[in-house]
């Protein structure tokens, strides 16, 4: 029997405004021992805010309980497995939080003079070197704030490099399995996007690529392993086809959790890639950041890296702003420093063999789930799975149950849903990424829950279609919630 975890207290918590009753206060101050003055008189009327309509009046214990109860509604990695495919929601060792919170690092000011920031600069330089080593590339910028930002940074650099050669070109090629940020980044950088269909095996079709790469093509953006969790085994040939036509190869490296310590993009022909430090390298994510999307490049693109660059002069680090081919700054200061500290701590704690083990375990865990669920769910692509596995709801759809329903039912079993309906080339996709940090016991719990749901689909499809049943709120109208959000409370 698997443990049934109830991830949160089921309390229908009212809004803080609804706890309000006139005259209640959350604090006590001693009586004034000086004459009272009105705020307008003391601060000037222009500095005094008008009264806030319906401002809640509550006691301290009401505030504390309200927010503590709301916090129990969060599903988190501290509660259980978070199998969101493509997101690499792995457990982040607490020791890296401790390191990032060291006072001198946490309170370092970005405008601290260089001689007083040598330690922070050394951390950034070492992280750049470590990421270059892991990826097999020549140089790294840590500035971009997220994966998508890294993509844009890299495309701007490739554009600058091609322009310097004489022609920035017009098009970027993107496979149909790509993450949505890829075409968005290409478009923002001013490129038209051409889609390439994947082969039967779910990888790049070299024949199709050969035909579509013309003198107009600036680059191919490919995720590897791709969003089907399949390694692009033709990547070196693809690089050859592109390079022969003067085009570049960009790799979306968000899935580096399946490669590090095993294969290096720099060794298989990649010219530029981004990494997601908040996926692979131990920064908690979800809920909006902060993250970091460093970009690693080959020598040819190095002159175009964002400003400033770290430079070792005499016995200390300095920032170099004098680089005439740079695309300029892409973010304030040097990027999200706290995220970099966690990443370096994680990399140094693991070492090369440890990072390799991370990858091997991530791949093992995904394949354990694949084997466990293959009897119950359709596997649209048979190619070997790397760190994630993509099923479809084809069998369940015959009973009118779709991937979104199964995901909602999973909540009743105490799990965060997997990624629903992505990648788009799989109709009704269930995209599952366990990561290396899950134990066999937790993977077994997940497989049992998914198996139980598959049986429920046969015996009682309605039950699955109306899930979740154990939460404070069941289904919400997601379209209305996105299109017509109600953000302002009005008294009944
Ligand atoms: C997460 C992800 C991105 C985007 O990264 P952000 O940090 O969310 O901007 C891009 N590509 C793939 C394959 C991803 O999984």
């Amino acid at each position: 029997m698997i443990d049934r975890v109830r991830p949160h207290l089921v309390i229908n918590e009212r809004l803080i405004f609804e706890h309000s009753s006139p005259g209640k206060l959350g604090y006590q101050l001693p009586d004034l021992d000086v004459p009272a003055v009105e705020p307008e008189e003391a601060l000037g009327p222009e500095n005094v805010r008008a009264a806030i309509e319906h401002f809640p009046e509550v006691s301290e214990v009401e505030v504390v309980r309200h927010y503590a109860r709301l916090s129990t509604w969060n599903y988190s990695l501290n509660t259980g497995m978070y199998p969101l495919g493509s997101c690499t929601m792995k457990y982040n060792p607490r020791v890296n939080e401790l390191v990032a919170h060291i006072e001198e690092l946490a309170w370092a000011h970005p405008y601290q003079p260089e001689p007083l920031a040598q330690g922070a600069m050394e951390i950034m330089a070492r992280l750049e070197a470590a990421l270059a080593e892991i990826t097999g590339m020549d140089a790294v910028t840590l500035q971009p704030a997220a994966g998508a930002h890294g993509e844009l940074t890299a495309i701007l650099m490739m554009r600058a490099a091609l322009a310097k050669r004489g022609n920035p070109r017009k098009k970027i090629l993107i496979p149909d399995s790509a993450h949505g940020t890829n075409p968005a980044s290409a478009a923002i950088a001013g490129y038209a996007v051409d889609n390439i269909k994947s082969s039967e095996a779910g990888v790049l079709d070299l024949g199709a690529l050969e035909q579509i790469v013309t003198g107009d093509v600036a680059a191919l953006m490919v995720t590897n392993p791709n969003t089907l969790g399949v390694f692009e085994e033709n990547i070196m040939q693809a690089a050859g086809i592109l390079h022969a036509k003067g085009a570049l190869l960009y790799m979306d490296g968000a899935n580096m959790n399946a490669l590090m310590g095993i294969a290096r993009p720099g060794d298989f022909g990649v010219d530029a890639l981004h990494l997601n430090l908040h996926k692979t390298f131990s920064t908690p994510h979800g809920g909006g950041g902060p993250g970091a999307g460093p970009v690693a490049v080959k020598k040819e693109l190095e002159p175009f890296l964002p400003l400033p660059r770290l430079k070792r002069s005499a016995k200390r680090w300095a920032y170099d702003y004098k680089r005439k081919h740079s695309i300029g700054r892409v973010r304030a200061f040097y990027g999200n420093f706290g995220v970099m500290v966690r990443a370096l701590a994680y990399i140094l704690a693991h070492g090369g063999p440890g990072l390799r083990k991370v990858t091997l375990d991530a791949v093992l865990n995904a394949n354990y789930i694949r084997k466990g669920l293959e009897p119950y769910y359709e596997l649209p692509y048979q190619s070997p799975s790397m760190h994630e596995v993509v099923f479809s709801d084809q069998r369940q759809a015959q009973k009118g149950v779709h991937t979104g329903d199964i995901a909602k039912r999973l909540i009743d079993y105490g799990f965060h849903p997997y990624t629903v309906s992505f990648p788009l080339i799989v109709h009704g996709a269930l995209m599952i990424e366990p990561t290396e940090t899950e134990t066999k016991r937790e993977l077994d719990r997940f497989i049992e829950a998914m198996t139980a749901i598959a049986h429920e689909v046969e015996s009682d499809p309605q039950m699955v279609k109306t899930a979740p049943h154990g939460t404070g709120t069941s289904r919400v109208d997601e379209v209305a919630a996105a299109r017509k959000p109600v953000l302002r409370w009005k008294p009944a």
Side-chain angles (χ1 to χ4, degrees):
M1 183 55 203
I2 52 170
D3 311 331
R4 277 287 187 105
V5 177
R6 283 243 171 268
H8 50 72
L9 302 172
V10 180
I11 298 167
N12 268 328
E13 182 68 19
R14 292 181 295 168
L15 299 176
I16 188 79
F17 305 97
E18 293 167 296
H19 290 282
S20 182
S21 83
K24 273 196 189 173
L25 285 177
Y27 61 90
Q28 282 182 315
L29 295 176
D31 289 340
L32 284 178
D33 55 4
V34 292
V37 285
E38 291 302 317
E40 287 79 0
E41 201 184 320
L43 302 171
E46 70 280 11
N47 295 318
V48 178
R49 191 165 60 180
I52 301 172
E53 209 186 357
H54 310 308
F55 193 75
E57 298 176 75
V58 286
S59 66
E60 180 175 326
V61 66
E62 285 172 305
V63 173
V64 168
R65 287 207 180 134
H66 175 70
Y67 288 106
R69 288 198 291 244
L70 283 185
S71 77
T72 70
W73 291 19
N74 280 338
Y75 187 90
S76 75
L77 277 154
N78 297 345
T79 322
M81 178 172 159
Y82 213 118
L84 269 185
S86 208
C87 295
T88 312
M89 304 298 283
K90 63 194 194 183
Y91 175 81
N92 302 294
R94 289 296 178 269
V95 66
N96 301 328
E97 292 303 308
L98 214 67
V99 175
H101 284 85
I102 292 172
E103 202 177 334
E104 289 77 3
L105 297 178
W107 287 91
H109 194 282
Y111 279 155
Q112 217 159 283
E114 282 174 16
L116 300 180
Q118 289 295 303
M121 293 165 91
E122 173 85 22
I123 285 172
M124 293 191 283
R126 285 200 193 183
L127 179 60
E128 285 186 2
L131 296 177
E133 171 72 25
I134 289 167
T135 55
M137 306 294 281
D138 297 319
V140 173
T141 173
L142 302 172
Q143 244 181 65
H149 194 199
E151 294 168 22
L152 177 63
T153 302
I155 296 174
L156 292 174
M157 290 169 60
M158 295 193 295
R159 185 183 189 96
L162 292 170
K164 186 158 170 282
R165 279 193 211 158
N167 178 5
R169 305 188 170 197
K170 295 198 172 67
K171 281 196 282 195
I172 290 203
L173 307 178
I174 302 183
D176 51 6
S177 59
H179 196 267
T181 51
N182 292 186
S185 300
I188 291 173
Y191 283 108
V193 172
D194 257 7
N195 245 279
I196 320 179
K197 270 178 85 69
S198 302
S199 72
E200 292 269 293
V203 293
L204 275 173
D205 183 333
L206 289 180
L209 185 67
E210 190 95 55
Q211 296 219 319
I212 202 172
V213 182
T214 60
D216 265 354
V217 170
L220 168 71
M221 285 182 96
V222 63
T223 306
N224 197 16
N226 63 31
T227 56
L228 293 164
V230 176
F231 185 79
E232 290 287 354
E233 55 186 13
N234 302 324
I235 192 84
M236 288 185 91
Q237 293 91 317
I241 293 170
L242 291 156
H243 292 154
K245 299 270 176 66
L248 298 165
L249 176 57
Y250 180 80
M251 187 182 114
D252 178 330
N255 293 340
M256 201 63 195
N257 220 51
L259 291 189
M260 59 180 176
I262 307 284
R264 305 196 313 165
D267 298 337
F268 53 68
V270 169
D271 298 298
L273 79 152
H274 81 264
L275 298 165
N276 291 53
L277 296 190
H278 46 291
K279 288 179 181 168
T280 316
F281 298 102
S282 192
T283 278
H285 70 294
V295 172
V297 296
K298 286 279 178 61
K299 272 221 159 49
E300 195 204 336
L301 292 171
E302 190 173 358
F304 307 95
L305 285 164
L307 291 177
R309 296 290 298 152
L310 282 164
K311 190 174 166 185
R312 187 87 189 171
S313 60
K315 281 202 193 109
R316 56 188 187 84
W317 291 105
Y319 292 115
D320 180 6
Y321 287 90
K322 292 199 223 66
R323 293 166 56 89
K324 65 176 192 291
H325 296 301
S326 167
I327 60 166
R329 242 182 211 295
V330 298
R331 198 189 174 285
F333 310 124
Y334 320 105
N336 284 328
F337 180 66
V339 177
M340 300 172 202
V341 175
R342 288 173 179 86
L344 185 62
Y346 180 81
I347 290 168
L348 294 179
H350 279 76
L355 294 178
R356 182 182 169 84
K357 182 107 180 13
V358 164
T359 296
L360 293 174
D361 287 349
V363 173
L364 178 64
N365 282 0
N367 281 281
Y368 188 76
I369 286 179
R370 173 173 165 158
K371 273 283 162 246
L373 295 183
E374 238 173 335
Y376 308 100
Y377 294 91
E378 191 66 27
L379 195 66
Y381 289 91
Q382 296 298 321
S383 303
S385 294
M386 298 289 287
H387 65 305
E388 59 196 353
V389 54
V390 181
F391 293 99
S392 89
D393 63 10
Q394 196 190 315
R395 294 183 210 172
Q396 290 73 27
Q398 288 161 16
K399 293 272 182 186
V401 176
H402 299 282
T403 177
D405 304 319
I406 300 164
K408 295 283 189 205
R409 183 64 179 145
L410 204 47
I411 297 170
D412 286 333
Y413 282 84
F415 286 98
H416 192 282
Y418 49 78
T419 293
V420 169
S421 304
F422 179 79
L424 302 177
I425 53 167
V426 172
H427 189 77
L430 292 70
M431 187 195 211
I432 301 168
E433 180 183 7
T435 83
E436 75 284 357
T437 56
E438 295 309 323
T439 60
K440 179 167 177 298
R441 184 179 167 79
E442 189 78 2
L443 297 175
D444 284 336
R445 276 193 349 100
F446 179 76
I447 291 168
E448 275 198 51
M450 289 293 290
T451 305
I453 296 170
H455 291 313
E456 286 171 353
V457 171
E458 298 302 319
S459 60
D460 188 1
Q462 201 54 31
M463 155 88 121
V464 181
K465 286 176 70 161
T466 51
H469 303 285
T471 52
T473 301
S474 186
R475 297 221 179 176
V476 295
D477 182 338
E478 287 165 10
V479 175
R483 298 269 164 83
K484 295 181 196 155
V486 180
L487 301 175
R488 195 169 286 271
W489 177 78
K490 289 202 189 70

